[in-house]
Amino acid sequence: MNSNQQTNYPALYTLITVFFFWGFIAAGNSIFIPFCKSYFSLDQFQSQLVDFAFYTAYYIGALLLFALGDRSGKDIVGTWGYKKSIVYGLLFSALGAGAMIVAVEASVYYGMLVGLFIVALGFSLQQTAANPFAILLGDPKTGASRVNLGGGINSFGTTIGPIVVALALFGTAATVSDEQIKALALNKVVTLYICVGLLFVAAAALFYFSKKVPAGVVTEPIEKANKALRTLVIMTLLLAACFVPIFRTYQNDVINLDVQAVADLEAYRMRFLLLALAVVIFGVLFSYRSAKVNANGWGAMQYPQLVLGMLAIFVYVGVEVAIGSNLGELLKLEEFGKLQSSDIAPYISMYWGSLMIGRWAGAISVFNLKGMAKTMALIFIPLVAFGIILGVNIISGKDMKPLYWYVVCVLLQVIAFFISKDKPARTLMVFGLFGLSAMLIGLFSTGTVAIYAFLSGGLACSIMWPAIFSLSIIGLGKYTSQGSAFLIMMILGGGIIPPIQGKLSDIIGIHQSYIVSVLCFAYLTLFAVLVKGLLKKQHIDVDSIEVEGSH
């Protein structure tokens, strides 16, 4: 591609609409979860199945694409063309919205999960195509800035999503008690998903009929990894075997069980959840160990930075989702304000908005600002983003006074950016420690301090995806594309870790369950340390790595 190629802005602006959809729906789930818990009388684990359905779909979608590509020897998405792939993904998500409407009309919770699963399958295809497509739409040297623009729009979607979904569920800014939720009509949820479905179809039509959007066909062959594929399929079957016994226990009547019997049942469920976690960890590590003995058939799995990075992406997505998804239940506690489900939207919006704050600040580096200009931008941009979050919530009728002093946490994040110095390993370690410290403060305190600490998890997570991604695929050579596919699969963490925290909450309490987040940030910090040493052994200059990518 000509390095002087002009950016195709009409196509780029069309493309970034899908980035908004990903953020809008994913963050909206954090409001949907406590609502479903009250409306359908679920325990915390069952409510977290919203995340299980949504993020497991990303994994299944990426695995199917990888399997088809491995079988044909071609990049399936590239062969279809990025344009057609996004159209297919949008139409599939529209089908999921239709399934959601049917399930809501029938008031069937598990039907809603199926609908969300189908929506996210479409997202999986869209995301696989959208990031490389953004790079293709102009000079490769400025590809990172286009991807980061998509990331900024995605983050704006995560800020808006909770507000819109809360209005759809509860109707007004007035408080609705959890007891009153069961009597609510779901017609507004139907209306919401009709609108979402129509937007998916409209976006698909916009892509399909736009002459400004190129086909984006790429016919490069891909490296085969049949042994890695076989291992991933076995892992998938084992994960299914772990969750089936848990689901079966919910089909039985447990009302008449005594306290000890209930405790034994919860311990039984927790064992299978931990077994599912072990399947992922040991499956990935087994692949690497086998690849070191004989690399033939394992592809990118032979690289230690990728294997550790796969686990880091798994943990990162898991903790990012788990903090937000369990936050609504935490805020119901008396020591955390005793809020009703209808009152948590500002906090959920601020949590997901915290990712926007960090991503906007992280995108400053692509503008090559120097000296005082860069310093002022690093201070000013996060504060502007914080003001936007406050503004959109205030416009929607929410009281944001309890969150005004959260600006202190934003300023702490600004300091973390200065310490990081745009170096990916250093950035990941600093923000890992930031997240670890925040979770420990939240775990050992209550009230406003703890709430701010848990919300700060969003600030810590905000820049982790591009840092982990860049550190994981550097040095992979011809296996770079395949390594990227493996990393995308590990979005599965968003479907495994939140249910684990949900079940732990059922056993020891929602506040104490945030120990899960502590452990996740501890691993992310450890990964930053380990990967720097691994890359130095491979004579790769860690500080020269360009951070790019969007989630």
Side-chain angles (χ1 to χ4, degrees), residues 294-321:
N294 181 6
N296 184 39
W298 288 101
M301 289 288 193
Q302 62 191 280
Y303 293 91
Q305 64 265 37
L306 176 72
V307 171
L308 293 179
M310 288 172 68
L311 294 177
I313 288 289
F314 178 87
V315 167
Y316 152 72
V317 178
V319 71
E320 176 188 279
V321 175

Side-chain angles (χ1 to χ4, degrees), residues 181-201:
I181 285 176
K182 294 182 180 181
L184 288 176
L186 295 180
N187 58 307
K188 290 187 178 179
V189 181
V190 172
T191 302
L192 171 66
Y193 273 92
I194 288 175
C195 293
V196 168
L198 290 175
L199 285 172
F200 286 145
V201 173

Side-chain angles (χ1 to χ4, degrees), residues 194-214:
I194 288 175
C195 293
V196 168
L198 290 175
L199 285 172
F200 286 145
V201 173
L206 185 63
F207 266 91
Y208 185 77
F209 291 109
S210 176
K211 294 181 180 179
K212 297 284 188 180
V213 180

Side-chain angles (χ1 to χ4, degrees), residues 20-65:
F20 178 85
F21 285 139
W22 305 338
F24 181 91
I25 299 295
N29 287 342
S30 296
I31 296 291
F32 204 55
I33 285 169
F35 172 85
C36 287
K37 181 177 181 181
S38 297
Y39 189 87
F40 294 103
S41 301
L42 309 173
D43 66 17
Q44 190 63 9
F45 165 78
Q46 286 175 298
S47 71
Q48 295 298 309
L49 292 179
V50 168
D51 286 332
F52 173 78
F54 192 78
Y55 290 97
T56 300
Y58 270 92
Y59 168 72
I60 296 297
L63 180 60
L64 287 172
L65 288 172

Side-chain angles (χ1 to χ4, degrees), residues 170-286:
F170 307 114
T172 67
T175 298
V176 178
S177 71
D178 290 346
E179 290 73 22
Q180 291 173 313
I181 285 176
K182 294 182 180 181
L184 288 176
L186 295 180
N187 58 307
K188 290 187 178 179
V189 181
V190 172
T191 302
L192 171 66
Y193 273 92
I194 288 175
C195 293
V196 168
L198 290 175
L199 285 172
F200 286 145
V201 173
L206 185 63
F207 266 91
Y208 185 77
F209 291 109
S210 176
K211 294 181 180 179
K212 297 284 188 180
V213 180
V217 175
V218 178
T219 56
E220 293 180 3
I222 63 171
E223 298 297 327
K224 292 207 169 193
N226 57 303
K227 292 179 182 177
L229 175 60
R230 186 166 59 246
T231 302
L232 288 167
V233 170
I234 293 171
M235 279 174 53
T236 305
L237 295 174
L238 289 174
L239 286 172
C242 291
F243 276 93
V244 167
I246 301 173
F247 295 153
R248 283 180 176 170
T249 63
Y250 281 97
Q251 296 175 352
N252 302 322
D253 183 9
V254 297
I255 296 176
N256 297 320
L257 295 181
D258 60 32
V259 174
Q260 184 58 48
V262 170
D264 291 342
L265 179 60
E266 295 289 35
Y268 172 83
R269 291 166 173 167
M270 193 66 192
R271 281 197 296 271
F272 276 101
L273 283 169
L274 293 176
L275 184 59
L277 180 63
V279 165
V280 175
I281 295 172
F282 289 110
V284 172
L285 293 178
F286 166 79

